[in-house]
Amino acid sequence: MPTALSDHLRRSWRGYAASAVALLLGLLPERPGVPDGRHLEAILARDFISVHTRNTPTTYYLGRQGPTGFEYELMRRFADHLGVSLTLDASHNIPEVIEAVRRDGDLGAAALPLDPTRQGVIFSRPILDLRPLLVYRRGLPPVKSLDDLDGLAIATLGGSGTDLVLRELQAEHPGLSWQESTDLEVAELLGRVEDGTLDAAVVFDHQFRLNRLFFPGVERGFELGEPLSMAWAFPAGRGLGLVESANRFLDELREGGELDDLMARYFGHDDYLEYVGARTFINHVHQRLPTYAELFREAARNTRFDWKLLAALGYQESHWDPEATSPTGVRGLMMLTLPTAGELDVDDRLDPEQSIDGGARYLRSLKERLPESITGDDRLFMAMAAYNVGLGHLYDARDIAEMRGGDPDRWADVREALPLLQEREWHSKTRHGYARGGEPVIYVRNIRRYYEILAYVDRSQQQFHRLNARLPDEQESGVLELIPPIM
């Protein structure tokens, strides 16, 4: 049995060693008799790459518009990079992914921890950090350190990497005990913490951020152990050509900023949720939005917008309160002014159906009135800004953007110019004068974030509509294996 000191040293070097091994593999000479590019050449010849994965919100699942998920996005882009099609087998848990890659797969992509001690596979360079996190049920005394775990029923996922961290900590804290399973997923663990079946769970930080919207009764505790690295797994003994190609692809994504963009898209809204009040927003999603969701869908069908975008705009305007009234006289769920309501033939601004329909038509008219030179998302973001600040002030901001050497057709440049409408030096040069130009910047940012969250909630509800279904007590006993203390 290793001593606490040797185990500590092994843990300290593990992250470095894992990364070093992944980097050095591309430099080592291939074993005699194994052509370096054999595996890659076979994939190119058959015109598809076979990927083994898991059906989870952090990896791959079917959304309303087809396959999605953080690692699915990476797999698809890698297949495009190779110029081949993509075939997936998502029927696995983590140990099964590794075994399938060893046996006959091309690639394993399933939130796999980079572990160079695993036999029969080679790992890519690290994709993102995996930070083990202890979470616990709201209402328990705060859990801030290992000493607070005494007497708690804790669980984690076997083979995910968090189990390895717990085993290393157990060498220093022999009384530590937990349960683990390869048959559950993160959402199921969090559900059991929330309903009291478990007191706490160890998951990765990004997994908690992605799932916490559905489990407001689960609290963040503390990070434990050393961070791991997520990587892709490839079969050993079939050449390094595919591994090297994957490493180059991942390097290009990282250097071009695309990898950061994907991470922000899938895992980046948590801090923002804390800022706006996560529990309030999610409570409104569950309590208020269902009353108006079909009205948003109908308005979206008539105006060719995504209904979730209209819902996000409505939340920003009124928090889905149909009787909202501002000091300036705008009223209703979509907060229409009296003149705008008149132009749209909205007789009763406090009628949710009329308000949502009118707001959607108003946003459509603003978008259509913008110059044709503004395209794509830039056009949508400027239309939303005009909904808040008015089309005239938006045009003034475009003029300022051009004066400053920017592109008046790019939202990024107009966004920088809008706050200058508050400064006399700039608004004195415009047609419509002063405006609180910082507000539409925040306004558009908020709507985009609300939309991202609603889109995630919508697709996750489709994928995990059975999350609240619990196994009978007699079945649950065989799912989690107890790892006893070693003292």
Side-chain angles (χ1 to χ4, degrees):
M1 180 180 297
T3 65
L5 177 59
S6 66
D7 191 73
H8 174 75
L9 292 174
R10 178 165 60 88
R11 186 179 71 249
S12 300
W13 277 94
R14 184 183 57 200
Y16 168 78
S19 299
V21 168
L23 292 171
L24 289 172
L25 279 173
L27 304 177
L28 293 176
E30 186 60 22
R31 284 185 288 178
V34 181
D36 183 73
R38 185 182 68 179
H39 189 186
L40 178 58
E41 290 169 4
I43 290 170
L44 297 177
R46 66 172 121 95
D47 200 33
F48 70 86
I49 183 169
S50 174
V51 180
H52 294 277
T53 186
R54 297 156 60 206
N55 196 195
T56 78
T58 57
T59 53
Y60 156 82
Y61 62 95
L62 290 176
R64 185 180 298 276
Q65 298 180 351
T68 187
F70 174 70
E71 287 204 76
Y72 172 77
E73 293 277 1
L74 293 178
M75 301 173 216
R76 181 181 58 77
R77 295 182 189 203
F78 183 48
D80 291 343
H81 173 79
L82 296 177
V84 299
S85 59
L86 176 66
T87 65
L88 296 178
D89 183 345
S91 63
H92 308 295
N93 58 33
I94 289 179
E96 290 169 348
V97 168
I98 296 296
E99 181 55 34
V101 171
R102 286 194 192 106
R103 187 175 61 250
D104 59 8
D106 297 322
L107 165 63
L112 301 175
L114 197 163
D115 182 1
T117 66
R118 282 189 184 269
Q119 298 297 310
V121 294
I122 300 172
F123 287 92
S124 71
R125 289 184 178 137
I127 297 173
L128 57 80
D129 286 341
L130 299 174
R131 296 184 175 275
L133 178 71
L134 190 289
V135 298
Y136 64 98
R137 188 172 65 259
R138 180 181 296 277
L140 292 177
V143 179
K144 301 301 181 184
S145 70
L146 289 173
D147 294 336
D148 297 325
L149 301 183
D150 290 345
L152 297 185
I154 307 166
T156 196
L157 300 183
S160 66
T162 51
D163 56 332
L164 298 178
V165 171
L166 285 170
R167 281 175 168 78
E168 292 184 346
L169 290 173
Q170 191 183 54
E172 299 177 7
H173 302 270
L176 182 62
S177 176
W178 68 94
Q179 303 170 70
E180 64 184 50
S181 172
T182 59
D183 296 322
L184 300 178
E185 286 295 350
V186 170
E188 294 168 290
L189 282 184
L190 297 178
R192 294 186 181 200
V193 172
E194 186 166 61
D195 71 14
T197 304
L198 295 168
D199 296 318
V202 179
V203 299
F204 288 120
D205 179 76
H206 75 284
Q207 294 170 330
F208 180 59
R209 283 188 278 125
L210 194 63
N211 284 280
R212 70 179 299 179
L213 299 176
F214 302 102
F215 304 100
V218 180
E219 290 274 13
R220 174 186 295 273
F222 63 99
E223 291 187 9
L224 68 169
E226 298 293 328
L228 307 178
S229 295
M230 187 180 88
W232 284 346
F234 303 86
R238 297 175 60 189
L240 296 176
L242 183 62
V243 184
E244 292 172 344
S245 182
N247 284 339
R248 287 193 296 271
F249 163 75
L250 293 170
D251 285 345
E252 290 171 6
L253 283 190
R254 184 172 287 105
E255 291 167 5
E258 294 175 74
L259 187 58
D260 286 339
D261 289 344
L262 277 178
M263 287 190 287
R265 174 181 164 191
Y266 282 93
F267 311 130
H269 55 62
D270 186 69
D271 290 342
Y272 178 78
L273 274 175
E274 288 297 318
Y275 174 71
V276 301
R279 295 184 183 91
T280 300
F281 178 71
I282 295 305
N283 180 63
H284 287 165
V285 169
H286 293 306
Q287 300 299 323
R288 295 186 180 181
L289 182 57
T291 303
Y292 309 111
E294 188 51 43
L295 295 179
F296 282 120
R297 289 188 175 95
E298 179 63 23
R301 286 190 288 269
N302 295 334
T303 55
R304 305 185 307 282
F305 285 116
D306 186 326
W307 78 269
K308 296 181 290 296
L309 176 73
L310 297 180
L313 188 149
Y315 188 81
Q316 173 62 26
E317 287 288 353
S318 69
H319 284 200
W320 300 320
D321 177 1
E323 298 184 358
T325 302
S326 82
T328 58
V330 293
R331 306 189 74 188
L333 198 147
M334 301 295 274
M335 297 296 273
L336 300 174
T337 66
L338 192 58
T340 299
E343 293 174 10
L344 296 166
D345 295 323
V346 173
D347 299 325
D348 183 359
R349 289 182 289 168
L350 300 186
D351 178 353
E353 182 174 5
Q354 290 191 48
S355 183
I356 291 171
D357 174 70
R361 287 189 287 117
Y362 182 47
L363 182 64
R364 171 55 61 186
S365 73
L366 291 170
K367 189 176 179 184
E368 290 177 348
R369 288 155 64 186
L370 292 171
E372 292 183 1
S373 56
I374 307 173
T375 60
D377 285 344
D378 292 316
R379 191 175 188 87
L380 175 61
F381 300 153
M382 289 198 210
M384 291 192 296
Y387 193 108
N388 174 261
V389 76
L391 204 52
H393 289 306
L394 177 74
Y395 285 147
D396 288 347
R398 295 181 72 244
D399 290 341
I400 291 175
E402 194 166 23
M403 292 178 208
R404 301 175 73 225
D407 183 349
D409 294 337
R410 291 184 67 245
W411 170 245
D413 292 341
V414 175
R415 180 180 61 202
E416 296 297 321
L418 274 163
L420 298 178
L421 292 173
Q422 299 167 181
E423 300 180 13
R424 181 175 180 80
E425 174 188 355
W426 290 101
H427 72 65
S428 62
K429 302 176 183 178
T430 66
R431 179 179 178 183
H432 299 90
Y434 172 86
R436 295 171 65 176
E439 288 188 1
V441 175
I442 297 172
Y443 181 89
V444 173
R445 184 199 67 188
N446 286 359
I447 293 172
R448 291 176 65 180
R449 296 293 178 84
Y450 290 137
Y451 171 75
E452 290 171 5
I453 297 161
L454 287 173
Y456 171 70
V457 169
D458 185 54
R459 65 182 182 249
S460 297
Q461 285 175 338
Q462 299 168 47
Q463 181 65 17
F464 302 108
H465 61 280
R466 292 191 297 271
L467 274 181
N468 291 327
R470 299 289 179 246
L471 293 171
D473 291 342
E474 63 270 22
Q475 292 180 326
E476 288 187 347
S477 61
V479 173
L480 288 162
E481 175 189 359
L482 178 65
I483 309 299
I486 58 177
M487 58 187 302

